[in-house]
Amino acid sequence: YASVGEELMAFGLDVERATLTRQSSVMLPGFVQEAWASSRTPFLYVAWSNGGASDSVSGIEPRGDRHGITAFRIEAEGGLHQQGPPAALRSRPIHLTGDGPGRHLLVAYNDPSGISVHAINSDGTVGSEVPQPSSLDVGIYGHQVRVFPANDAVVLVTRGNEPTSTTREDPGALKVYRYDDGKLANVASIAPSNGIGFRSRHLDFHPTGPWV
C-alpha cells in the first residue's frame, strides 16, 4: 500500500520479479498520515487529516479541522473495503500502531504532543477512546508510538524542536509507559543530555535480541 495525498493505493507484489502492479485505490477524507495492518485480523487502519502540510513561506503546519481513523477489511487480492464509519480524532495523527493482541490502536500527536488509545471492536471497527491519566508525560512533539514486544509497555518518541532566532531548543526524549489493556501509566523519561540535541523521530525493536 502507498499513498499520495488522500489516495491510498493497493499494489500486487511479484516477489520473483521484484515488481509492483497497481490494483486498486480508495480515497480518504484527508491526507493519509500513517497506516497499521493487524497481524491477527484482516484489517488495515489508516490515520488521516486535512492538516499538516507546511506553508512554504512560514514553515508553519496548519492544524486542520478534520482528523480520523478509517478501518478497512483487506480482501483476498489486497483490495480494501471500508469497515464502518471513520472514528474522529482530537488533532492531526502523526503515527498509528496497534498492540500485540490487536485489541487497541495507539495514536501519536505532535501539535499538541500527545497519545491516545482506542478500542478495536469485535467487528474490526474503531471503538471508543480509552481514558488516560491527566498526568501522562507526553513530552514535546510526539513523533512515533510503539508497543513493546511483550505488550506490557509503550514508548512515545518525542522529537523536540530545534532552536530558532527567537526560541530556545525544546528537548527530545523517549517517554516510556506501563501498558495494561489500553491503560497507560508513566514509567520513565529517557533524555540524554537533558534532551538537548536528542531529536530522534522513530525507533524499532530487534526481532530476536533485547535491543532497540
Side-chain angles (χ1 to χ4, degrees):
Y1 300 99
S3 68
V4 178
E6 299 96 335
E7 184 178 16
L8 180 65
M9 298 160 281
F11 292 83
L13 170 63
D14 186 323
V15 177
E16 295 299 324
R17 294 179 175 84
T19 58
L20 296 171
T21 303
R22 178 167 169 166
Q23 296 180 331
S24 60
S25 71
V26 294
M27 298 301 291
L28 278 296
F31 297 141
V32 174
Q33 304 293 311
E34 185 72 31
W36 176 77
S38 172
S39 62
R40 296 175 179 267
T41 61
F43 290 102
L44 179 74
Y45 297 91
V46 184
W48 50 265
S49 172
N50 68 348
S54 297
D55 181 273
S56 60
V57 177
S58 68
I60 297 174
E61 294 184 349
R63 289 190 174 187
D65 58 4
R66 296 183 65 205
H67 325 279
I69 302 173
T70 300
F72 292 96
R73 177 181 290 275
I74 303 173
E75 298 173 342
E77 298 302 318
L80 300 174
H81 178 77
Q82 185 170 331
Q83 185 84 352
L89 295 176
R90 65 181 74 159
S91 59
R92 179 172 77 103
I94 198 168
H95 194 261
L96 167 76
T97 193
D99 62 11
R103 295 179 57 185
H104 295 90
L105 296 169
L106 294 91
V107 182
Y109 307 90
N110 69 314
D111 187 15
S113 187
I115 184 172
S116 63
V117 183
H118 306 261
I120 297 176
N121 297 325
S122 59
D123 64 354
T125 57
V126 183
S128 57
E129 182 174 346
V130 180
Q132 304 297 334
S134 59
S135 59
L136 213 60
D137 178 9
V138 294
I140 297 168
Y141 206 114
H143 207 278
Q144 185 203 33
V145 58
R146 293 293 305 274
V147 180
F148 279 53
N151 205 60
D152 58 356
V154 166
V155 58
L156 178 67
V157 183
T158 63
R159 191 199 70 181
N161 289 302
E162 295 185 31
T164 69
S165 59
T166 58
T167 60
R168 294 183 177 181
E169 178 175 347
D170 292 321
L174 304 178
K175 305 295 184 178
V176 183
Y177 315 100
R178 284 194 300 276
Y179 182 70
D180 182 12
D181 196 28
K183 291 283 190 178
L184 300 169
N186 293 327
V187 170
S189 178
I190 302 170
S193 301
N194 294 320
I196 300 302
F198 185 74
R199 288 189 284 273
S200 297
R201 295 169 181 250
H202 297 94
L203 59 76
D204 199 7
F205 299 98
H206 191 279
T208 58
W211 306 299
V212 170

